[in-house]
Amino acid sequence: MTGPPAPGGHYGQDLFEPEHPQEAERIDSAALVYDPVTTGRLRALGSGPGSRCLEVGAGTGTVVRWLLEEADAAEVVALDRDTGGLDDLGGSRVRVVTADLRDESLDLGSFDLIHARFVLMHLPERRRLVSRLARWLNPGGWLVLGDAVEVPNALDTSSAYRRTMDAMWQALRSTIGTDTSGVPAYPHFLREEGLRNVAGELFCPPLVAGSPLARFWSETWNRMRPALEETGQVDSAGIDDALAYLASPQLAELGPGLMMAWGQRR
Ligand SMILES: C[S@@+](CC[C@H](N)C(=O)[O-])C[C@H]1O[C@@H](n2cnc3c(N)ncnc32)[C@H](O)[C@@H]1O
């Protein structure tokens, strides 16, 4: 039996190129919505004070800044394939590392907190990378993984919104290997790695017209337009309808959310 062709593309090369003029703004629109949830969880786990932290796929650095400025981390390593969004980070407590998480030769030491948000879902090697990140924990250290989960309305199979959202997940999967279907399994992955105090939670932020989150989805769909049409699930007019709906007072959807899972090394 043959499956679908393996995706050959990469985040940042074949989709969401960092040099695109709207890329930092697109990432920040999501960060604005999710940062309070992420930092609330990190704070509840006692992460920060005096600890050595690794932020994987640091993006525009909002969580790195929080760890340094609010959580009083001793050192934060900010890892990203593209660190252009981290140019303004400085000081003796931060180390910006431009590298690919999948690079086997990467040796960053060990950490009291490792956090990765909206990164592993884009990497087909995610299960192996979870093992790798778990190995980089100090005793007592936390691994916190956050990725997207959608709870779709099963009664809606044909609206422009639904078709566009489905086309987006399909296009992400076939282009760069993004897969959110395994995200609810993260607590199991962490337990398999021998971590304790494992748990997970899901936060679906309100999707309101004109909000940063609605802007994030419309910018994402606009950027992916040709790939969305290629899926055959939605045509150009359907995408226009979905974009107009996102900006309208008629909008009434439970949007995709952030699932976080965490576990602690013995
Ligand atoms: C969707 S953004 C999320 C940014 C940030 N974590 C946040 O939640 O705001 C994904 C980030 O992961 C980075 N990234 C993707 N693949 C990577 C890899 N293989 N190694 C390191 N960073 C990677 C991208 O460059 C980008 O900055």
Side-chain angles (χ1 to χ4, degrees):
M1 210 172 90
T2 55
H10 297 289
Y11 191 105
Q13 283 172 5
D14 302 273
L15 257 182
F16 308 134
E17 301 80 359
E19 55 280 3
H20 188 283
Q22 256 85 54
E23 184 56 6
E25 199 181 313
R26 190 184 73 89
I27 290 189
D28 268 346
S29 306
L32 253 179
V33 177
Y34 292 111
D35 275 357
V37 184
T38 298
T39 58
R41 176 50 50 199
L42 296 183
R43 197 185 285 283
L45 295 175
S47 312
S51 59
R52 185 161 195 264
C53 308
L54 172 63
E55 178 66 8
V56 178
T60 56
T62 56
V63 175
V64 175
R65 268 179 222 100
W66 179 83
L67 286 166
L68 290 168
E69 291 161 17
E70 313 266 332
D72 207 20
E75 188 192 356
V76 183
V77 176
L79 169 75
D80 206 294
R81 282 182 63 199
D82 182 88
T83 48
L86 305 172
D87 282 346
D88 62 326
L89 285 178
S92 56
R93 292 189 298 133
V94 63
R95 184 177 152 209
V96 176
V97 177
T98 309
D100 192 313
L101 176 64
R102 297 167 297 183
D103 176 353
E104 292 293 339
S105 65
L106 201 57
D107 181 6
L108 300 170
S110 60
F111 298 91
D112 306 304
L113 168 70
I114 300 177
H115 173 244
R117 186 178 68 184
F118 301 136
V119 182
L120 293 184
M121 61 187 255
H122 294 301
L123 301 175
E125 307 84 349
R126 63 191 67 82
R127 181 65 191 86
R128 189 168 55 77
L129 293 171
V130 173
S131 301
R132 184 156 204 231
L133 294 175
R135 279 198 302 276
W136 288 352
L137 286 174
N138 287 327
W142 290 97
L143 175 55
V144 183
L145 305 176
D147 266 323
V149 163
E150 195 186 7
V151 186
N153 169 11
L155 300 180
D156 172 17
T157 52
S158 61
S159 71
Y161 171 87
R162 185 70 264 148
R163 285 181 291 125
T164 306
M165 196 61 103
D166 287 348
M168 178 193 76
W169 295 123
Q170 186 183 325
L172 283 171
R173 186 193 282 249
S174 58
T175 322
I176 58 175
T178 302
D179 187 1
T180 57
S181 66
V183 176
Y186 284 1
H188 284 203
F189 293 172
L190 297 174
R191 195 186 53 199
E192 285 161 15
E193 294 306 321
L195 304 188
R196 63 189 168 109
N197 296 322
V198 170
E201 67 187 338
L202 173 62
F203 170 70
C204 294
L207 187 52
V208 179
S211 66
L213 192 61
R215 281 201 296 282
F216 171 79
W217 289 118
S218 45
E219 180 60 24
T220 302
W221 291 348
N222 264 318
R223 295 272 298 283
M224 293 181 67
R225 243 187 135 96
L228 297 182
E229 288 180 45
E230 258 173 47
T231 65
Q233 296 214 44
V234 67
D235 58 13
S236 181
I239 300 170
D240 286 342
D241 286 351
L243 287 167
Y245 177 58
L246 258 192
S248 84
Q250 301 309 312
L251 181 63
E253 301 294 337
L254 177 66
L258 168 68
M259 176 171 159
M260 276 193 284
W262 55 88
Q264 187 175 30
R265 180 148 175 206
R266 289 169 206 280

